[in-house]
Each structure stands twice: as structure tokens, then as C-alpha cells.
Amino acid sequence: MTVPNTPPDRSPADVRAVPDAAPDPFAPPTADLEGATAPVSPMPPLGLGKAEPVLSPGERLRDELRIGASAVLVCLVVGVAMAVLWAWLAPKVPLVVDGDRILYADPEGEQRAGADAVFVLIGLGAGLLTALGAFLLTRRRGGGISVAVGLAVGGLLGSLGAWRLGRWLGPSKDLIGEARKAGNGGHFDASIDLGALGALLVWPMTAMVVLLALSAAFGKREEDPPPYWGIPAGSLPEAPEGEGHLPEHGGDGKAL
């Protein structure tokens, strides 16, 4: 039953025929001439970038091992340069031949401690250099545990190699042979060595601290999730039937 003098509902064709008529935003999608509805392109979610390719666990493990091995190899190369610098810059311990004895030319000298100090300073520089290089090269991928492990293992192996190679590059350890070459009253230098083996840990510890500081200050940040109003309708999972709905109550407070 309708109210008298109620105008009939206008069809969509009548609405289109009226000039300057605003379309009804709540009207259902109309069919075109062939009977198919016009496709509606979904709005892309806001705040989301390009999806990164998903790698299998084997591919991720192979990638991490490759990066860690590269860090170790680079540290070994830097360790060779560290050995050359240590053998060149470390103060030498002067010895003198007195008859059948070999004595210190400067008994109160601190050349032994100076050799340890030079090794520590070079280790600090090597740790800073390797950590900075590893961070810059792996910043785009967000670092990873392989970078830290590679720097720690490579720094320790590099320090050990620099210590052994530096002793070999320095003065000879054959004191008797050097004393015979120098003759009575002659001077020669003793071999360089580390008095404190804790200096071997300076490089890996410095690399870990610098890498942690750089990652915390300038590391890759995860994108914030989009706001709830920016997620297109239908992209969120629907709640199961019977859950997530409040019961309807009547005026007396009882559920209908």
C-alpha cells in the first residue's frame, strides 16, 4: 500500500537523462549495455611498498653463509696489512753482546709494552674500518646475524694472523745467531712479541661495538603498518560467525 500522490521511482536511465543530476552514491553498480557490471579497481593499501621476493630457507642460509664468509676473508686481508704495520711501527728492544752474554742495552726501556700498545691501536683501527665497511655494504639488506658473526670470527683470526706474521716479519728470533753476527760489544734488536695476549681481542670487540652503534643509529627501519582506515575493505579476515558481535539488548537489559 502506497501513500497517494507518491511519484514512481525513477530508473537509472531517467537519472542520467536529467542534466546536472548528481549520482546516488548508495545506488548499486549499474549494468552496461552488454549486461556486465563495470569493474571497480580496488584501492591499494596505503603505506605498503613493493613486496620483496620470498626466499626459501635454503636460499636464505646460503645467502647468510656467503656474507659471513666474505666478511672473514676481508678481515684476513686486513690482518696482513695489520701485521706489516705492526712489524714496522712497533718499537724494537735493543740488545748488546757482552762476551758470552746478551744484555739489554736499555734495561729500563718500555719497548715491550710499546709493542703491545701499537698492536692495540692498530687493532682498534682495523675493527673500526671493518665494521664501518660491513655496515655500509649490508645496510640495504638490514644487516643480519651473519655480518656480526663474520666480523667477530674474522677479527679474531685476523688478529692471530697479524700476531704470527708480524713476529715473522720483525727481527729474527735466533738470538745466538744474531749475537754471533754482531760480535762482542755489538748491538742488535730482539724479536717483537705480545706480552698481553688479550690484545688479540681488541679488533673483534671494537668491530662488534661499532657495528651495534651504527645499526642502532643509522640501521634500516621497518615500515610502520598502515592505519586501520587505510586498509581496503575485504582485506581483513572476517570474524567467525557468533564471535565478535555484541548481543542485542532490549529496554529491560535482557538479551533479545
Side-chain angles (χ1 to χ4, degrees):
M1 180 177 181
T2 60
V3 180
N5 298 328
T6 300
D9 296 335
R10 291 186 297 177
S11 62
D14 298 334
V15 174
R16 289 195 295 268
V18 179
D20 301 333
D24 187 2
F26 301 100
T30 59
D32 55 8
L33 297 178
E34 298 181 358
T37 58
V40 180
S41 59
M43 182 181 65
L46 300 178
L48 298 179
K50 293 183 179 180
E52 298 181 357
V54 179
L55 301 178
S56 63
E59 293 175 344
R60 289 198 300 267
L61 178 60
R62 184 166 57 250
D63 191 23
E64 295 293 335
L65 291 177
R66 179 179 58 83
I67 294 176
S70 301
V72 173
L73 291 177
V74 171
C75 289
L76 292 179
V77 174
V78 177
V80 175
M82 179 178 177
V84 175
L85 288 176
W86 184 49
W88 176 36
L89 298 176
K92 309 301 187 294
V93 179
L95 302 177
V96 60
V97 180
D98 183 15
D100 57 349
R101 297 179 302 174
I102 301 176
L103 305 176
Y104 286 105
D106 185 10
E108 297 182 359
E110 298 182 356
Q111 290 83 0
R112 294 288 186 185
D116 291 1
V118 171
F119 191 91
V120 169
L121 292 177
I122 299 176
L124 286 172
L128 177 61
L129 178 64
T130 52
L132 180 60
F135 173 76
L136 293 178
L137 293 177
T138 59
R139 181 184 180 184
R140 184 178 298 274
R141 70 184 299 270
I145 187 63
S146 61
V147 180
V149 174
L151 283 179
V153 176
L156 183 58
L157 294 179
S159 294
L160 287 172
W163 172 40
R164 298 296 181 89
L165 185 59
R167 291 195 306 177
W168 180 75
L169 293 175
S172 176
K173 295 186 296 183
D174 186 8
L175 296 181
I176 303 299
E178 294 294 326
R180 290 175 179 176
K181 292 180 182 179
N184 189 19
H187 293 74
F188 64 97
D189 295 330
S191 60
I192 59 175
D193 201 354
L194 284 179
L197 296 181
L200 299 174
L201 301 178
V202 173
W203 181 352
M205 293 177 63
T206 302
M208 291 296 97
V209 173
V210 173
L211 181 64
L212 178 61
L214 291 175
S215 300
F218 308 104
K220 182 180 179 181
R221 298 290 188 269
E222 295 184 359
E223 296 183 0
D224 295 333
Y228 65 91
W229 60 82
I231 302 177
S235 61
L236 294 179
E238 297 182 357
E241 185 177 357
E243 298 182 3
H245 299 282
L246 295 177
E248 298 181 358
H249 296 273
D252 54 354
K254 296 183 179 179
L256 298 178

PDB file of all heavy atoms in Angstrom, residues 127-167:
ATOM      1  N   GLY A 127      89.289  -2.742  13.587  1.00  0.00           N
ATOM      2  CA  GLY A 127      87.903  -3.012  13.972  1.00  0.00           C
ATOM      3  C   GLY A 127      86.953  -1.936  13.499  1.00  0.00           C
ATOM      4  O   GLY A 127      85.851  -2.223  13.013  1.00  0.00           O
ATOM      5  N   LEU A 128      87.373  -0.683  13.629  1.00  0.00           N
ATOM      6  CA  LEU A 128      86.537   0.418  13.152  1.00  0.00           C
ATOM      7  C   LEU A 128      86.357   0.366  11.639  1.00  0.00           C
ATOM      8  O   LEU A 128      85.240   0.548  11.121  1.00  0.00           O
ATOM      9  CB  LEU A 128      87.171   1.751  13.568  1.00  0.00           C
ATOM     10  CG  LEU A 128      86.478   3.029  13.087  1.00  0.00           C
ATOM     11  CD1 LEU A 128      85.068   3.102  13.642  1.00  0.00           C
ATOM     12  CD2 LEU A 128      87.285   4.253  13.500  1.00  0.00           C
ATOM     13  N   LEU A 129      87.416   0.084  10.912  1.00  0.00           N
ATOM     14  CA  LEU A 129      87.351   0.062   9.446  1.00  0.00           C
ATOM     15  C   LEU A 129      86.473  -1.079   8.946  1.00  0.00           C
ATOM     16  O   LEU A 129      85.615  -0.881   8.079  1.00  0.00           O
ATOM     17  CB  LEU A 129      88.767  -0.067   8.884  1.00  0.00           C
ATOM     18  CG  LEU A 129      88.890  -0.158   7.359  1.00  0.00           C
ATOM     19  CD1 LEU A 129      88.397   1.125   6.710  1.00  0.00           C
ATOM     20  CD2 LEU A 129      90.340  -0.434   6.970  1.00  0.00           C
ATOM     21  N   THR A 130      86.666  -2.277   9.485  1.00  0.00           N
ATOM     22  CA  THR A 130      85.892  -3.423   9.007  1.00  0.00           C
ATOM     23  C   THR A 130      84.418  -3.312   9.392  1.00  0.00           C
ATOM     24  O   THR A 130      83.532  -3.670   8.602  1.00  0.00           O
ATOM     25  CB  THR A 130      86.480  -4.724   9.569  1.00  0.00           C
ATOM     26  OG1 THR A 130      86.609  -4.618  11.000  1.00  0.00           O
ATOM     27  CG2 THR A 130      87.840  -5.002   8.972  1.00  0.00           C
ATOM     28  N   ALA A 131      84.122  -2.798  10.578  1.00  0.00           N
ATOM     29  CA  ALA A 131      82.727  -2.646  10.980  1.00  0.00           C
ATOM     30  C   ALA A 131      82.020  -1.598  10.124  1.00  0.00           C
ATOM     31  O   ALA A 131      80.869  -1.800   9.709  1.00  0.00           O
ATOM     32  CB  ALA A 131      82.636  -2.269  12.456  1.00  0.00           C
ATOM     33  N   LEU A 132      82.684  -0.499   9.852  1.00  0.00           N
ATOM     34  CA  LEU A 132      82.086   0.543   9.014  1.00  0.00           C
ATOM     35  C   LEU A 132      81.847   0.033   7.595  1.00  0.00           C
ATOM     36  O   LEU A 132      80.783   0.271   6.998  1.00  0.00           O
ATOM     37  CB  LEU A 132      82.979   1.775   8.998  1.00  0.00           C
ATOM     38  CG  LEU A 132      82.496   2.971   8.161  1.00  0.00           C
ATOM     39  CD1 LEU A 132      81.151   3.458   8.660  1.00  0.00           C
ATOM     40  CD2 LEU A 132      83.525   4.091   8.190  1.00  0.00           C
ATOM     41  N   GLY A 133      82.827  -0.666   7.029  1.00  0.00           N
ATOM     42  CA  GLY A 133      82.648  -1.202   5.687  1.00  0.00           C
ATOM     43  C   GLY A 133      81.539  -2.241   5.617  1.00  0.00           C
ATOM     44  O   GLY A 133      80.721  -2.229   4.684  1.00  0.00           O
ATOM     45  N   ALA A 134      81.477  -3.139   6.613  1.00  0.00           N
ATOM     46  CA  ALA A 134      80.421  -4.156   6.607  1.00  0.00           C
ATOM     47  C   ALA A 134      79.045  -3.528   6.761  1.00  0.00           C
ATOM     48  O   ALA A 134      78.072  -3.957   6.124  1.00  0.00           O
ATOM     49  CB  ALA A 134      80.672  -5.162   7.729  1.00  0.00           C
ATOM     50  N   PHE A 135      78.936  -2.486   7.574  1.00  0.00           N
ATOM     51  CA  PHE A 135      77.632  -1.835   7.744  1.00  0.00           C
ATOM     52  C   PHE A 135      77.181  -1.141   6.470  1.00  0.00           C
ATOM     53  O   PHE A 135      76.013  -1.245   6.074  1.00  0.00           O
ATOM     54  CB  PHE A 135      77.712  -0.836   8.891  1.00  0.00           C
ATOM     55  CG  PHE A 135      76.482   0.015   9.037  1.00  0.00           C
ATOM     56  CD1 PHE A 135      75.331  -0.508   9.600  1.00  0.00           C
ATOM     57  CD2 PHE A 135      76.472   1.330   8.591  1.00  0.00           C
ATOM     58  CE1 PHE A 135      74.189   0.272   9.725  1.00  0.00           C
ATOM     59  CE2 PHE A 135      75.332   2.107   8.706  1.00  0.00           C
ATOM     60  CZ  PHE A 135      74.192   1.570   9.280  1.00  0.00           C
ATOM     61  N   LEU A 136      78.083  -0.434   5.809  1.00  0.00           N
ATOM     62  CA  LEU A 136      77.709   0.281   4.592  1.00  0.00           C
ATOM     63  C   LEU A 136      77.326  -0.683   3.471  1.00  0.00           C
ATOM     64  O   LEU A 136      76.424  -0.398   2.677  1.00  0.00           O
ATOM     65  CB  LEU A 136      78.856   1.188   4.145  1.00  0.00           C
ATOM     66  CG  LEU A 136      79.184   2.372   5.073  1.00  0.00           C
ATOM     67  CD1 LEU A 136      80.371   3.146   4.539  1.00  0.00           C
ATOM     68  CD2 LEU A 136      77.973   3.275   5.259  1.00  0.00           C
ATOM     69  N   LEU A 137      77.992  -1.825   3.390  1.00  0.00           N
ATOM     70  CA  LEU A 137      77.713  -2.770   2.314  1.00  0.00           C
ATOM     71  C   LEU A 137      76.452  -3.588   2.557  1.00  0.00           C
ATOM     72  O   LEU A 137      75.848  -4.085   1.605  1.00  0.00           O
ATOM     73  CB  LEU A 137      78.908  -3.705   2.122  1.00  0.00           C
ATOM     74  CG  LEU A 137      80.195  -3.054   1.590  1.00  0.00           C
ATOM     75  CD1 LEU A 137      81.320  -4.076   1.522  1.00  0.00           C
ATOM     76  CD2 LEU A 137      79.952  -2.432   0.218  1.00  0.00           C
ATOM     77  N   THR A 138      76.061  -3.758   3.800  1.00  0.00           N
ATOM     78  CA  THR A 138      74.894  -4.590   4.110  1.00  0.00           C
ATOM     79  C   THR A 138      73.739  -3.780   4.691  1.00  0.00           C
ATOM     80  O   THR A 138      72.778  -4.367   5.198  1.00  0.00           O
ATOM     81  CB  THR A 138      75.277  -5.695   5.113  1.00  0.00           C
ATOM     82  OG1 THR A 138      75.773  -5.095   6.324  1.00  0.00           O
ATOM     83  CG2 THR A 138      76.347  -6.596   4.534  1.00  0.00           C
ATOM     84  N   ARG A 139      73.812  -2.459   4.610  1.00  0.00           N
ATOM     85  CA  ARG A 139      72.738  -1.650   5.199  1.00  0.00           C
ATOM     86  C   ARG A 139      71.430  -1.833   4.448  1.00  0.00           C
ATOM     87  O   ARG A 139      70.350  -1.858   5.049  1.00  0.00           O
ATOM     88  CB  ARG A 139      73.146  -0.184   5.180  1.00  0.00           C
ATOM     89  CG  ARG A 139      72.113   0.751   5.788  1.00  0.00           C
ATOM     90  CD  ARG A 139      72.528   2.196   5.660  1.00  0.00           C
ATOM     91  NE  ARG A 139      71.543   3.085   6.247  1.00  0.00           N
ATOM     92  CZ  ARG A 139      71.612   4.412   6.200  1.00  0.00           C
ATOM     93  NH1 ARG A 139      72.644   4.992   5.589  1.00  0.00           N
ATOM     94  NH2 ARG A 139      70.668   5.151   6.738  1.00  0.00           N
ATOM     95  N   ARG A 140      71.494  -1.990   3.124  1.00  0.00           N
ATOM     96  CA  ARG A 140      70.277  -2.100   2.326  1.00  0.00           C
ATOM     97  C   ARG A 140      69.486  -3.361   2.683  1.00  0.00           C
ATOM     98  O   ARG A 140      68.257  -3.351   2.691  1.00  0.00           O
ATOM     99  CB  ARG A 140      70.617  -2.085   0.840  1.00  0.00           C
ATOM    100  CG  ARG A 140      69.407  -2.092  -0.082  1.00  0.00           C
ATOM    101  CD  ARG A 140      69.857  -2.038  -1.520  1.00  0.00           C
ATOM    102  NE  ARG A 140      70.584  -0.814  -1.802  1.00  0.00           N
ATOM    103  CZ  ARG A 140      69.991   0.322  -2.143  1.00  0.00           C
ATOM    104  NH1 ARG A 140      68.671   0.392  -2.238  1.00  0.00           N
ATOM    105  NH2 ARG A 140      70.714   1.393  -2.395  1.00  0.00           N
ATOM    106  N   ARG A 141      70.189  -4.436   2.971  1.00  0.00           N
ATOM    107  CA  ARG A 141      69.507  -5.686   3.316  1.00  0.00           C
ATOM    108  C   ARG A 141      69.174  -5.786   4.795  1.00  0.00           C
ATOM    109  O   ARG A 141      68.569  -6.767   5.242  1.00  0.00           O
ATOM    110  CB  ARG A 141      70.353  -6.888   2.896  1.00  0.00           C
ATOM    111  CG  ARG A 141      71.611  -7.059   3.731  1.00  0.00           C
ATOM    112  CD  ARG A 141      72.476  -8.198   3.222  1.00  0.00           C
ATOM    113  NE  ARG A 141      71.763  -9.455   3.285  1.00  0.00           N
ATOM    114  CZ  ARG A 141      71.787 -10.261   4.355  1.00  0.00           C
ATOM    115  NH1 ARG A 141      72.453  -9.893   5.438  1.00  0.00           N
ATOM    116  NH2 ARG A 141      71.144 -11.401   4.337  1.00  0.00           N
ATOM    117  N   GLY A 142      69.579  -4.791   5.581  1.00  0.00           N
ATOM    118  CA  GLY A 142      69.256  -4.812   7.002  1.00  0.00           C
ATOM    119  C   GLY A 142      70.241  -5.568   7.859  1.00  0.00           C
ATOM    120  O   GLY A 142      69.903  -6.019   8.950  1.00  0.00           O
ATOM    121  N   GLY A 143      71.490  -5.706   7.392  1.00  0.00           N
ATOM    122  CA  GLY A 143      72.497  -6.399   8.195  1.00  0.00           C
ATOM    123  C   GLY A 143      72.220  -7.880   8.281  1.00  0.00           C
ATOM    124  O   GLY A 143      72.042  -8.557   7.283  1.00  0.00           O
ATOM    125  N   GLY A 144      72.159  -8.409   9.472  1.00  0.00           N
ATOM    126  CA  GLY A 144      71.927  -9.831   9.674  1.00  0.00           C
ATOM    127  C   GLY A 144      72.935 -10.410  10.648  1.00  0.00           C
ATOM    128  O   GLY A 144      73.997  -9.829  10.918  1.00  0.00           O
ATOM    129  N   ILE A 145      72.602 -11.582  11.175  1.00  0.00           N
ATOM    130  CA  ILE A 145      73.489 -12.219  12.140  1.00  0.00           C
ATOM    131  C   ILE A 145      74.788 -12.637  11.496  1.00  0.00           C
ATOM    132  O   ILE A 145      75.836 -12.706  12.146  1.00  0.00           O
ATOM    133  CB  ILE A 145      72.764 -13.426  12.782  1.00  0.00           C
ATOM    134  CG1 ILE A 145      73.592 -14.010  13.922  1.00  0.00           C
ATOM    135  CG2 ILE A 145      72.468 -14.468  11.721  1.00  0.00           C
ATOM    136  CD1 ILE A 145      73.804 -13.054  15.062  1.00  0.00           C
ATOM    137  N   SER A 146      74.769 -12.913  10.188  1.00  0.00           N
ATOM    138  CA  SER A 146      75.997 -13.342   9.516  1.00  0.00           C
ATOM    139  C   SER A 146      77.042 -12.236   9.503  1.00  0.00           C
ATOM    140  O   SER A 146      78.245 -12.510   9.548  1.00  0.00           O
ATOM    141  CB  SER A 146      75.674 -13.780   8.088  1.00  0.00           C
ATOM    142  OG  SER A 146      75.119 -12.712   7.352  1.00  0.00           O
ATOM    143  N   VAL A 147      76.619 -10.986   9.431  1.00  0.00           N
ATOM    144  CA  VAL A 147      77.569  -9.867   9.430  1.00  0.00           C
ATOM    145  C   VAL A 147      78.296  -9.794  10.773  1.00  0.00           C
ATOM    146  O   VAL A 147      79.525  -9.663  10.833  1.00  0.00           O
ATOM    147  CB  VAL A 147      76.844  -8.548   9.130  1.00  0.00           C
ATOM    148  CG1 VAL A 147      77.818  -7.382   9.128  1.00  0.00           C
ATOM    149  CG2 VAL A 147      76.125  -8.631   7.799  1.00  0.00           C
ATOM    150  N   ALA A 148      77.549  -9.897  11.863  1.00  0.00           N
ATOM    151  CA  ALA A 148      78.161  -9.825  13.188  1.00  0.00           C
ATOM    152  C   ALA A 148      79.081 -11.017  13.442  1.00  0.00           C
ATOM    153  O   ALA A 148      80.208 -10.864  13.938  1.00  0.00           O
ATOM    154  CB  ALA A 148      77.080  -9.741  14.264  1.00  0.00           C
ATOM    155  N   VAL A 149      78.617 -12.221  13.100  1.00  0.00           N
ATOM    156  CA  VAL A 149      79.446 -13.411  13.318  1.00  0.00           C
ATOM    157  C   VAL A 149      80.687 -13.366  12.431  1.00  0.00           C
ATOM    158  O   VAL A 149      81.795 -13.705  12.861  1.00  0.00           O
ATOM    159  CB  VAL A 149      78.622 -14.684  13.046  1.00  0.00           C
ATOM    160  CG1 VAL A 149      79.500 -15.923  13.121  1.00  0.00           C
ATOM    161  CG2 VAL A 149      77.486 -14.799  14.050  1.00  0.00           C
ATOM    162  N   GLY A 150      80.519 -12.941  11.180  1.00  0.00           N
ATOM    163  CA  GLY A 150      81.670 -12.847  10.297  1.00  0.00           C
ATOM    164  C   GLY A 150      82.706 -11.858  10.791  1.00  0.00           C
ATOM    165  O   GLY A 150      83.913 -12.108  10.717  1.00  0.00           O
ATOM    166  N   LEU A 151      82.259 -10.723  11.325  1.00  0.00           N
ATOM    167  CA  LEU A 151      83.196  -9.741  11.864  1.00  0.00           C
ATOM    168  C   LEU A 151      83.898 -10.264  13.120  1.00  0.00           C
ATOM    169  O   LEU A 151      85.100 -10.036  13.307  1.00  0.00           O
ATOM    170  CB  LEU A 151      82.476  -8.438  12.178  1.00  0.00           C
ATOM    171  CG  LEU A 151      82.129  -7.538  10.999  1.00  0.00           C
ATOM    172  CD1 LEU A 151      81.390  -6.302  11.482  1.00  0.00           C
ATOM    173  CD2 LEU A 151      83.370  -7.135  10.235  1.00  0.00           C
ATOM    174  N   ALA A 152      83.160 -10.949  13.977  1.00  0.00           N
ATOM    175  CA  ALA A 152      83.767 -11.466  15.203  1.00  0.00           C
ATOM    176  C   ALA A 152      84.812 -12.538  14.891  1.00  0.00           C
ATOM    177  O   ALA A 152      85.948 -12.487  15.382  1.00  0.00           O
ATOM    178  CB  ALA A 152      82.682 -12.016  16.121  1.00  0.00           C
ATOM    179  N   VAL A 153      84.434 -13.513  14.071  1.00  0.00           N
ATOM    180  CA  VAL A 153      85.374 -14.585  13.723  1.00  0.00           C
ATOM    181  C   VAL A 153      86.525 -14.042  12.883  1.00  0.00           C
ATOM    182  O   VAL A 153      87.699 -14.364  13.119  1.00  0.00           O
ATOM    183  CB  VAL A 153      84.634 -15.711  12.979  1.00  0.00           C
ATOM    184  CG1 VAL A 153      85.609 -16.782  12.513  1.00  0.00           C
ATOM    185  CG2 VAL A 153      83.568 -16.331  13.879  1.00  0.00           C
ATOM    186  N   GLY A 154      86.206 -13.211  11.891  1.00  0.00           N
ATOM    187  CA  GLY A 154      87.262 -12.648  11.058  1.00  0.00           C
ATOM    188  C   GLY A 154      88.210 -11.753  11.823  1.00  0.00           C
ATOM    189  O   GLY A 154      89.422 -11.752  11.576  1.00  0.00           O
ATOM    190  N   GLY A 155      87.676 -10.961  12.769  1.00  0.00           N
ATOM    191  CA  GLY A 155      88.549 -10.105  13.564  1.00  0.00           C
ATOM    192  C   GLY A 155      89.500 -10.904  14.438  1.00  0.00           C
ATOM    193  O   GLY A 155      90.680 -10.561  14.573  1.00  0.00           O
ATOM    194  N   LEU A 156      88.991 -11.996  15.033  1.00  0.00           N
ATOM    195  CA  LEU A 156      89.866 -12.826  15.867  1.00  0.00           C
ATOM    196  C   LEU A 156      90.931 -13.525  15.027  1.00  0.00           C
ATOM    197  O   LEU A 156      92.119 -13.551  15.395  1.00  0.00           O
ATOM    198  CB  LEU A 156      89.023 -13.848  16.625  1.00  0.00           C
ATOM    199  CG  LEU A 156      89.771 -14.757  17.600  1.00  0.00           C
ATOM    200  CD1 LEU A 156      90.513 -13.939  18.642  1.00  0.00           C
ATOM    201  CD2 LEU A 156      88.810 -15.739  18.261  1.00  0.00           C
ATOM    202  N   LEU A 157      90.525 -14.093  13.879  1.00  0.00           N
ATOM    203  CA  LEU A 157      91.507 -14.749  13.004  1.00  0.00           C
ATOM    204  C   LEU A 157      92.494 -13.739  12.427  1.00  0.00           C
ATOM    205  O   LEU A 157      93.685 -14.037  12.269  1.00  0.00           O
ATOM    206  CB  LEU A 157      90.776 -15.483  11.881  1.00  0.00           C
ATOM    207  CG  LEU A 157      89.911 -16.674  12.298  1.00  0.00           C
ATOM    208  CD1 LEU A 157      89.235 -17.289  11.085  1.00  0.00           C
ATOM    209  CD2 LEU A 157      90.741 -17.712  13.042  1.00  0.00           C
ATOM    210  N   GLY A 158      92.002 -12.539  12.092  1.00  0.00           N
ATOM    211  CA  GLY A 158      92.905 -11.509  11.584  1.00  0.00           C
ATOM    212  C   GLY A 158      93.935 -11.083  12.621  1.00  0.00           C
ATOM    213  O   GLY A 158      95.107 -10.844  12.286  1.00  0.00           O
ATOM    214  N   SER A 159      93.517 -10.975  13.889  1.00  0.00           N
ATOM    215  CA  SER A 159      94.457 -10.617  14.951  1.00  0.00           C
ATOM    216  C   SER A 159      95.501 -11.708  15.152  1.00  0.00           C
ATOM    217  O   SER A 159      96.703 -11.421  15.317  1.00  0.00           O
ATOM    218  CB  SER A 159      93.701 -10.356  16.250  1.00  0.00           C
ATOM    219  OG  SER A 159      92.872  -9.219  16.139  1.00  0.00           O
ATOM    220  N   LEU A 160      95.050 -12.962  15.151  1.00  0.00           N
ATOM    221  CA  LEU A 160      96.007 -14.066  15.299  1.00  0.00           C
ATOM    222  C   LEU A 160      97.003 -14.086  14.140  1.00  0.00           C
ATOM    223  O   LEU A 160      98.208 -14.275  14.344  1.00  0.00           O
ATOM    224  CB  LEU A 160      95.251 -15.391  15.377  1.00  0.00           C
ATOM    225  CG  LEU A 160      94.494 -15.666  16.673  1.00  0.00           C
ATOM    226  CD1 LEU A 160      93.633 -16.916  16.525  1.00  0.00           C
ATOM    227  CD2 LEU A 160      95.461 -15.821  17.835  1.00  0.00           C
ATOM    228  N   GLY A 161      96.496 -13.900  12.923  1.00  0.00           N
ATOM    229  CA  GLY A 161      97.394 -13.884  11.776  1.00  0.00           C
ATOM    230  C   GLY A 161      98.362 -12.713  11.814  1.00  0.00           C
ATOM    231  O   GLY A 161      99.544 -12.855  11.462  1.00  0.00           O
ATOM    232  N   ALA A 162      97.874 -11.538  12.245  1.00  0.00           N
ATOM    233  CA  ALA A 162      98.760 -10.375  12.334  1.00  0.00           C
ATOM    234  C   ALA A 162      99.845 -10.594  13.383  1.00  0.00           C
ATOM    235  O   ALA A 162     101.006 -10.171  13.200  1.00  0.00           O
ATOM    236  CB  ALA A 162      97.939  -9.130  12.666  1.00  0.00           C
ATOM    237  N   TRP A 163      99.507 -11.240  14.478  1.00  0.00           N
ATOM    238  CA  TRP A 163     100.497 -11.513  15.523  1.00  0.00           C
ATOM    239  C   TRP A 163     101.587 -12.460  15.026  1.00  0.00           C
ATOM    240  O   TRP A 163     102.784 -12.171  15.150  1.00  0.00           O
ATOM    241  CB  TRP A 163      99.775 -12.098  16.733  1.00  0.00           C
ATOM    242  CG  TRP A 163     100.680 -12.602  17.814  1.00  0.00           C
ATOM    243  CD1 TRP A 163     101.833 -12.009  18.257  1.00  0.00           C
ATOM    244  CD2 TRP A 163     100.503 -13.788  18.582  1.00  0.00           C
ATOM    245  NE1 TRP A 163     102.392 -12.761  19.269  1.00  0.00           N
ATOM    246  CE2 TRP A 163     101.589 -13.857  19.489  1.00  0.00           C
ATOM    247  CE3 TRP A 163      99.547 -14.781  18.611  1.00  0.00           C
ATOM    248  CZ2 TRP A 163     101.728 -14.907  20.392  1.00  0.00           C
ATOM    249  CZ3 TRP A 163      99.677 -15.812  19.522  1.00  0.00           C
ATOM    250  CH2 TRP A 163     100.756 -15.875  20.399  1.00  0.00           C
ATOM    251  N   ARG A 164     101.176 -13.580  14.411  1.00  0.00           N
ATOM    252  CA  ARG A 164     102.157 -14.545  13.931  1.00  0.00           C
ATOM    253  C   ARG A 164     102.972 -13.986  12.765  1.00  0.00           C
ATOM    254  O   ARG A 164     104.202 -14.144  12.715  1.00  0.00           O
ATOM    255  CB  ARG A 164     101.437 -15.829  13.508  1.00  0.00           C
ATOM    256  CG  ARG A 164     100.689 -16.538  14.637  1.00  0.00           C
ATOM    257  CD  ARG A 164     101.657 -17.025  15.697  1.00  0.00           C
ATOM    258  NE  ARG A 164     100.981 -17.722  16.765  1.00  0.00           N
ATOM    259  CZ  ARG A 164     100.728 -19.043  16.752  1.00  0.00           C
ATOM    260  NH1 ARG A 164     101.067 -19.769  15.689  1.00  0.00           N
ATOM    261  NH2 ARG A 164     100.137 -19.616  17.776  1.00  0.00           N
ATOM    262  N   LEU A 165     102.301 -13.357  11.818  1.00  0.00           N
ATOM    263  CA  LEU A 165     103.009 -12.816  10.658  1.00  0.00           C
ATOM    264  C   LEU A 165     103.910 -11.648  11.045  1.00  0.00           C
ATOM    265  O   LEU A 165     105.013 -11.481  10.495  1.00  0.00           O
ATOM    266  CB  LEU A 165     101.998 -12.382   9.596  1.00  0.00           C
ATOM    267  CG  LEU A 165     102.567 -11.904   8.256  1.00  0.00           C
ATOM    268  CD1 LEU A 165     103.403 -12.992   7.601  1.00  0.00           C
ATOM    269  CD2 LEU A 165     101.429 -11.468   7.330  1.00  0.00           C
ATOM    270  N   GLY A 166     103.460 -10.833  12.001  1.00  0.00           N
ATOM    271  CA  GLY A 166     104.295  -9.716  12.445  1.00  0.00           C
ATOM    272  C   GLY A 166     105.572 -10.189  13.114  1.00  0.00           C
ATOM    273  O   GLY A 166     106.645  -9.590  12.916  1.00  0.00           O
ATOM    274  N   ARG A 167     105.493 -11.251  13.907  1.00  0.00           N
ATOM    275  CA  ARG A 167     106.714 -11.791  14.520  1.00  0.00           C
ATOM    276  C   ARG A 167     107.677 -12.315  13.463  1.00  0.00           C
ATOM    277  O   ARG A 167     108.901 -12.211  13.603  1.00  0.00           O
ATOM    278  CB  ARG A 167     106.355 -12.902  15.503  1.00  0.00           C
ATOM    279  CG  ARG A 167     105.646 -12.436  16.745  1.00  0.00           C
ATOM    280  CD  ARG A 167     105.656 -13.496  17.823  1.00  0.00           C
ATOM    281  NE  ARG A 167     105.123 -14.763  17.347  1.00  0.00           N
ATOM    282  CZ  ARG A 167     105.080 -15.884  18.077  1.00  0.00           C
ATOM    283  NH1 ARG A 167     105.568 -15.870  19.314  1.00  0.00           N
ATOM    284  NH2 ARG A 167     104.568 -16.989  17.593  1.00  0.00           N
TER     285      ARG A 167
END
